Amino acid sequence: MTHDTDADVCVIGAGIAGVTTAYLLAMEGRSVVLIDDGTPGCGQTGVTTAHLSAEIDDGYTEIVRLHGVDGARLACDSHQAAITRIETICTQEGIDADFHRVSGYLFLSPEHGEQILHEEMAAAQRAGLEVEQLRHAPVNGFNSGPCLHFPRQGQFHPLKYLNGLIEAFTRSGGRVYGGVRATTVTGGKLALVETAPGPRIRSTAVVVATNVPFVDVFAIHTKQAPYYTYVIGARIPPDAVTPALYWDTHDPYHYVRVQRTSNAALGGDNDDVVDVLIVGGEDHKTAQASDTEERFGALEQWMRERFPSAAAVEFRWSGQVMETQDGLGFIGRNPLDADNVYVATGDSGMGMTHGTIAGMLICDLIQGRNNPWAELYDPSRIRVGAAGEFLKENLNVAAQYTSYITPGEVSSLDEITPATGAIVREGARKVAVFRDEAGEIHKVSAVCTHLGCIVGWNKAASTWDCPCHGSRFDAYGRVLNGPASKDLEKIASHSEDRANEHVQK
Ligand code: FES
């Protein structure tokens, strides 16, 4: 992108929410510019395990408590419609995204009795979801015990889908610019998006779909919290485990599905069919745990106890989930902003359906149509029943500011091994220090550029993550994920010896 440009709508963020919104608007003849500071799908869409479920992951028992039966019915309707929309788009656009309808099974964690299943089944039925209780799931390779069965859920390959959607978008005249970071959004009759490279985009509406919006300071960030989740993948013999979505009642829950692929796709030298078991869980509040290896280890042990056909773990990755205080995403007009600035955030562990709902809902709002889900997902909403969660998460955020007075994590830069980072204290300030593969030290301020919490090193992703509202920065301090919109402040390099003099544990 080299020049200022005009469009009907500017969409910021090329993950599933942004791309779906851009695609649906383009299909209605609107002129749309889609920008992303990286490449499409380089954020959380690229690391999701892509469960497509209308059984909300907090459970309908909780959704009915927080949103009432009518709200739960709308939530169920919206997630079912999102799965159907993905299936329809794959068919209409000829996108081979490995979309399949599969059953979902919710099974008991050892600490729970069957009562929890009875209650959830009753709540899900009140929400309008088809569900039955079984003595065990009728599947190969897994002894579930008592479980709930949700027919006709789904799974797909999110990046194949995203790429197909972008091709369809550009065929319809949509414009996509990667490597363009939006820095400010000014709403109003003619909204203006300013970008880091310089060119500006003028439009009649702006959609901020950057996982966590950078255009909001308090209104949304106090109502959602960042959590980190871990995933492993291991080969299983073909058909050893029936493809389905499996998850348990543990808190945080474990989640499992099967992805069929080819040996060549995994780097092998033939096209033999390969099934990969994908297992996730071990979530914790972002940047508030550093036992990454232990968490991957616990996940593997959990898998081996339940899926004995799994071979060695070949794949490991992690991702961030934005958990809202009431279990549903924030989708609609940005609070305290002009009427033509829209946001989509708060994936709540269901980013693929919430992202698709965002596309459908925001498209309706921009096109001036009523949408029955608008009030349910309104980012300005406050649910009285969520007050306890709001208080708990915001007390947790307040507690993070005590990091200003705690010691550093290492007493000498020598303790930082290549390709890792640690927080050190230099006099009164905290410094985020990264040692690259070549042994060179890189230092940035550890103070998050959003609201000043102290970031922490994420071993699983080699990033600096903020424990307060989910901002993430690469090892050199460049912002990857909002709400922060600015990089961590660079600290002038001293020689390593001199820097060591200032390190205080
Ligand atoms: Fe808000 Fe860092 S994300 S202070």
Side-chain angles (χ1 to χ4, degrees):
M1 188 171 177
T2 53
H3 299 93
D4 289 0
T5 192
D6 296 300
D8 291 338
V9 183
C10 175
V11 178
I12 305 170
I16 190 161
V19 173
T20 306
T21 307
Y23 165 79
L24 292 176
L25 285 165
M27 294 306 288
E28 295 200 27
R30 304 303 297 267
S31 143
V32 184
V33 166
L34 171 64
I35 63 172
D36 193 287
D37 63 355
T39 52
C42 69
Q44 297 309 303
T45 299
V47 292
T48 179
T49 57
H51 290 229
L52 298 172
S53 173
E55 164 65 8
I56 307 284
D57 77 347
D58 281 3
Y60 279 104
T61 308
E62 188 66 358
I63 295 300
V64 168
R65 182 183 76 79
L66 290 165
H67 301 275
V69 173
D70 289 346
R73 293 187 81 85
L74 287 168
C76 179
D77 175 57
S78 63
H79 285 267
Q80 285 182 318
I83 300 170
T84 301
R85 182 60 68 99
I86 291 169
E87 184 177 31
T88 305
I89 289 174
C90 285
T91 304
Q92 285 177 342
E93 300 294 350
I95 301 171
D96 181 6
D98 303 337
F99 178 92
H100 295 290
R101 289 282 184 174
V102 290
S103 287
Y105 297 102
L106 171 63
F107 59 95
L108 290 170
S109 190
E111 71 273 23
H112 288 137
E114 288 190 45
Q115 183 62 22
I116 196 170
L117 296 181
H118 300 326
E119 290 171 5
E120 182 56 19
M121 185 167 84
Q125 285 173 330
R126 293 179 83 194
L129 190 60
E130 186 180 350
V131 54
E132 62 179 341
Q133 186 162 352
L134 302 174
R135 295 313 307 160
H136 58 81
V139 296
N140 296 333
F142 175 50
N143 184 8
S144 69
C147 63
L148 295 185
H149 171 223
F150 305 93
R152 287 185 56 72
Q153 307 305 299
Q155 65 176 47
F156 72 148
H157 192 299
L159 289 182
K160 289 182 182 177
Y161 178 69
L162 208 63
N163 289 335
L165 213 48
I166 286 173
E167 278 178 28
F169 169 64
T170 52
R171 274 198 307 272
S172 301
R175 289 167 282 167
V176 185
Y177 298 100
V180 176
R181 187 200 299 177
T183 53
T184 59
V185 173
T186 308
K189 196 159 181 234
L190 198 58
L192 187 69
V193 174
E194 297 181 72
T195 69
R200 300 174 305 171
I201 301 153
R202 289 175 296 261
S203 59
T204 52
V206 178
V207 180
V208 181
T210 51
N211 183 246
V212 185
F214 64 93
V215 290
D216 175 88
V217 176
F218 289 112
I220 293 176
H221 299 310
T222 51
K223 299 192 294 185
Q224 63 180 4
Y227 280 78
Y228 218 68
T229 189
Y230 298 86
V231 185
I232 57 175
R235 294 182 199 226
I236 51 175
D239 302 316
V241 177
T242 301
L245 310 181
Y246 306 94
W247 69 103
D248 68 4
T249 56
H250 191 60
D251 184 17
Y253 65 93
H254 300 90
Y255 48 99
V256 179
R257 77 172 178 90
V258 177
Q259 177 67 44
R260 176 154 289 185
T261 184
S262 72
N263 195 26
L266 301 179
D269 56 7
N270 59 51
D271 279 328
D272 290 354
V273 168
V274 173
D275 281 353
V276 176
L277 192 71
I278 297 172
V279 180
E282 291 293 323
D283 305 10
H284 62 76
K285 198 92 189 272
T286 293
Q288 296 187 28
S290 56
D291 53 347
T292 302
E293 288 305 320
E294 289 82 350
R295 286 176 191 267
F296 276 126
L299 210 47
E300 180 172 354
Q301 184 181 343
W302 184 92
M303 175 183 75
R304 301 225 170 278
E305 288 166 1
R306 290 160 181 82
F307 298 90
S309 61
V313 172
E314 283 185 65
F315 313 99
R316 302 194 331 180
W317 71 94
S318 53
Q320 182 165 279
V321 174
M322 297 305 300
E323 293 287 3
T324 66
Q325 61 182 10
D326 61 17
L328 296 177
F330 292 121
I331 301 163
R333 291 192 168 85
N334 189 34
L336 310 176
D337 205 336
D339 268 0
N340 59 345
V341 179
Y342 302 84
V343 293
T345 186
D347 58 88
S348 304
M350 300 175 294
M352 297 300 98
T353 43
H354 265 138
T356 306
I357 291 166
M360 299 158 76
L361 173 47
I362 293 175
C363 180
D364 278 353
L365 296 179
I366 289 176
Q367 294 293 76
R369 293 189 291 260
N370 288 330
N371 183 299
W373 312 326
E375 194 186 335
L376 182 72
Y377 289 105
D378 182 356
S380 301
R381 73 179 184 266
I382 291 173
R383 298 285 182 259
V384 175
E389 195 63 20
F390 176 85
L391 195 62
K392 183 191 95 179
E393 292 294 4
N394 284 289
L395 284 173
N396 178 286
V397 167
Q400 301 313 309
Y401 288 93
T402 60
S403 295
Y404 273 91
I405 56 170
T406 57
E409 295 169 326
V410 295
S411 54
S412 161
L413 299 190
D414 293 339
E415 294 175 39
I416 305 175
T417 54
T420 62
I423 300 297
V424 302
R425 177 171 285 288
E426 289 188 2
R429 70 182 171 183
K430 286 262 180 109
V431 177
V433 180
F434 170 64
R435 184 186 293 278
D436 65 23
E437 296 277 5
E440 194 176 333
I441 288 287
H442 305 267
K443 297 200 290 182
V444 289
S445 167
V447 177
C448 175
T449 54
H450 177 227
L451 292 175
C453 288
I454 300 295
V455 299
W457 179 247
N458 177 341
K459 286 184 206 164
S462 296
T463 53
W464 298 109
D465 296 352
C466 181
C468 288
H469 313 104
S471 290
R472 301 180 65 208
F473 307 84
D474 74 9
Y476 305 96
R478 293 179 291 240
V479 67
L480 296 172
N481 208 86
S485 60
K486 294 194 179 83
D487 297 342
L488 296 174
E489 183 193 344
K490 276 210 180 325
I491 292 180
S493 284
H494 302 272
S495 77
E496 197 168 315
D497 286 348
R498 183 158 166 234
N500 267 325
E501 289 169 17
H502 296 282
V503 171
Q504 300 167 3
K505 178 126 187 194

